[in-house]
Amino acid sequence: MPPTNWAGNVRYAARAYHRPSAVDELRRLVAGSDRLRVVGTGHSFNRLGDTDGDLVSLAGLPGQVRLDEDRRTVDVPAAIRYGDLATWLHARGWALPALASLPHISVAGAVATGTHGSGDATGNLASAVTGLELVTADGDLLTVDRGTPDFAGMVVSLGALGVVTRVTLDVVPTYDLRQYVCLGLPRPALDEAFASAYSVSVFTDWRGARGTQVWRKQLADQPPPPADWLGTRAAEGPCHPVPGMPAQNCTAQLGEPGPWHERLPHFRLGFTPSSGEELQSEYHLPRAKAAGALAALDGVAHLITPVLQVSELRTVAADPLWLSPNHDRDSLAVHFTWIADAARVLPVVAEVERVLAPFHPRPHWGKVFGVDAAALAASYPRWDDFRALRRRLDPNGVFATAELDRHLPR
């Protein structure tokens, strides 16, 4: 049976599945293939990572992690999961500045799609990348860093430039956090809420303040929020973002102090966060226009709520990476976890994109979206530069797919 993605909504169409055990084996495989893509942990919800050619897992490549304390960097294999890397780093007194909701995702996959954590002053996961090692279409091994021309175009690459085998990341000294969940945030207090802690996520059902949870991940030495913080009330026990789901899958709350990697994600590494019975979409909007964008979504809330499990709002700092959803603009990310029913969800996604169009939304590359190539090109100032870089590094389209070419024509 062909492999599927984590959610089960994509059944890969590859003619062959490979798991090389050495970089030289991977290089030969790439050089001999006319079409090839890499699959990571499968947490994408669209076919950007699919191919009718060769599908490759990098999980069998050597897994050495190399820490450089003087340069404050760590060099890691592409397939390592963030949760495993975080545990390794914390044991040695180091940390990453941000983590996504799921610690289960691979470093290279999250970087290539511009996946993010949360924080007014915190960039997405790709913004921490200081270097890459990748196998290009002719099988050559290329090493690049922040001093390399066009490096800012090579980090969030959608897998279109080569097979990334290793990633070098910035690290910071380890730190502790406390997580508090507050209920019933009024919309006018949203900006103040985002600014109140190291990382903040606001979950909403689009039915008003009553159905809102604020997950505040604050530095452990900061005082707890007052009982009536911004008109909210403190959760009396642990919560799950999706009502009715078991809270034991989530990271510790109620102000219990703990290391960064056990508080920044919403879900524990040792638990399956959900059954995969869902679809996801996400749009990054200019932070300065957030109020208007949220008001536009309020206008179609009656369409959203019947097919929604939960929606999450997060802020992300600007970065210089060409295809990053946060390129050159501070952003509000609006995430939708939908029910697993594409026939009902896709028309709603289209309506969401229609009302957000005036705000130039940049969709998360690994989730369900229908924004066309023209609108994407208008939203990314370095769009044509990336296309030229893609043609230079992959002139024959070895890493091309139908989905990738539809969104990003060569």
Side-chain angles (χ1 to χ4, degrees):
M1 179 180 294
T4 68
N5 67 340
W6 170 74
N9 69 306
V10 172
R11 185 171 296 278
Y12 297 121
R15 65 191 172 203
Y17 188 85
H18 306 270
R19 185 184 165 112
S21 58
V23 173
D24 282 347
E25 181 185 353
L26 172 65
R27 293 176 64 186
R28 291 191 296 270
L29 177 62
V30 173
S33 180
D34 61 338
R35 296 185 306 283
L36 183 144
R37 294 290 285 182
V38 174
V39 62
T41 49
H43 277 83
S44 290
F45 290 81
N46 60 41
R47 291 192 171 274
L48 278 177
D50 191 18
T51 180
D52 60 357
D54 296 300
L55 197 62
V56 179
S57 168
L58 303 182
L61 293 185
Q64 182 182 9
V65 177
R66 299 189 287 257
L67 176 65
D68 188 328
E69 295 189 348
D70 292 334
R71 296 188 177 187
R72 292 194 169 196
T73 61
V74 64
D75 181 65
V76 304
I80 194 171
R81 299 188 304 172
Y82 269 99
D84 297 324
L85 170 60
T87 302
W88 189 95
L89 281 174
H90 177 70
R92 290 156 179 81
W94 294 92
L96 299 169
L99 286 173
S101 299
L102 298 179
H104 309 71
I105 58 178
S106 68
V107 168
V111 164
T113 53
T115 297
H116 62 102
S118 172
D120 279 4
T122 304
N124 65 30
L125 300 179
S127 67
V129 175
T130 71
L132 297 170
E133 177 188 273
L134 66 157
V135 177
T136 57
D138 55 7
D140 285 347
L141 191 64
L142 180 64
T143 302
V144 297
D145 60 29
R146 282 176 176 158
T148 302
D150 296 337
F151 179 74
M154 302 176 75
V155 180
V156 181
S157 67
L158 315 183
L161 306 180
V163 177
V164 173
T165 54
R166 297 194 67 85
V167 182
T168 306
L169 302 166
D170 288 322
V171 295
V172 297
T174 193
Y175 51 95
D176 288 345
L177 296 170
R178 299 176 188 267
Q179 181 167 227
Y180 296 91
V181 177
C182 301
L183 308 177
L185 181 76
R187 176 72 66 77
L190 195 59
D191 275 344
E192 189 174 350
F194 282 133
S196 71
Y198 187 90
S199 175
V200 177
S201 290
V202 177
F203 293 96
T204 178
D205 59 8
W206 295 101
R207 290 182 169 93
R210 186 179 219 174
T212 299
Q213 300 179 18
V214 185
W215 290 40
R216 300 178 66 257
K217 301 160 192 280
Q218 65 179 53
L219 294 172
D221 59 358
Q222 293 181 331
D228 60 348
W229 176 76
L230 298 182
T232 66
R233 67 185 189 282
E236 296 179 357
C239 297
H240 191 288
V242 180
M245 293 291 288
Q248 66 262 30
N249 294 4
C250 298
T251 47
Q253 301 163 31
L254 303 176
E256 178 185 341
W260 60 283
H261 65 292
E262 295 179 358
R263 296 297 180 274
L264 281 179
H266 301 327
F267 302 102
R268 300 176 189 262
L269 180 62
F271 286 81
T272 301
S274 73
S275 63
E277 290 295 317
E278 62 193 58
L279 298 173
Q280 294 183 11
S281 300
E282 183 175 283
Y283 302 92
H284 292 241
L285 304 154
R287 182 72 186 275
K289 298 182 178 179
L294 293 175
L297 290 171
D298 286 336
V300 292
H302 63 290
L303 302 177
I304 292 171
T305 55
V307 293
L308 184 72
Q309 296 192 51
V310 75
S311 189
E312 180 179 7
L313 312 179
R314 290 189 278 182
T315 57
V316 193
D319 64 61
L321 307 176
W322 295 358
L323 288 191
S324 165
N326 316 113
H327 174 74
D328 275 359
R329 71 186 196 192
D330 294 333
S331 304
L332 174 72
V334 182
H335 175 96
F336 299 92
T337 297
W338 308 108
I339 63 173
D341 186 339
R344 294 178 62 194
V345 167
L346 292 181
V348 179
V349 169
E351 277 298 294
V352 165
E353 293 180 354
R354 182 186 65 80
V355 301
L356 290 180
F359 305 96
H360 303 288
R362 295 173 178 169
H364 187 301
W365 294 110
K367 302 189 188 296
V368 174
F369 69 92
V371 180
D372 63 28
L376 290 169
S379 185
Y380 284 92
R382 304 299 299 270
W383 186 260
D384 288 337
D385 294 327
F386 183 85
R387 292 177 64 203
L389 179 62
R390 182 185 177 196
R391 289 192 296 268
R392 189 171 83 239
L393 290 181
D394 185 19
N396 297 318
V398 171
F399 306 114
T401 71
E403 184 84 355
L404 181 59
D405 287 345
R406 182 166 70 87
H407 296 302
L408 185 66
R410 279 184 281 166

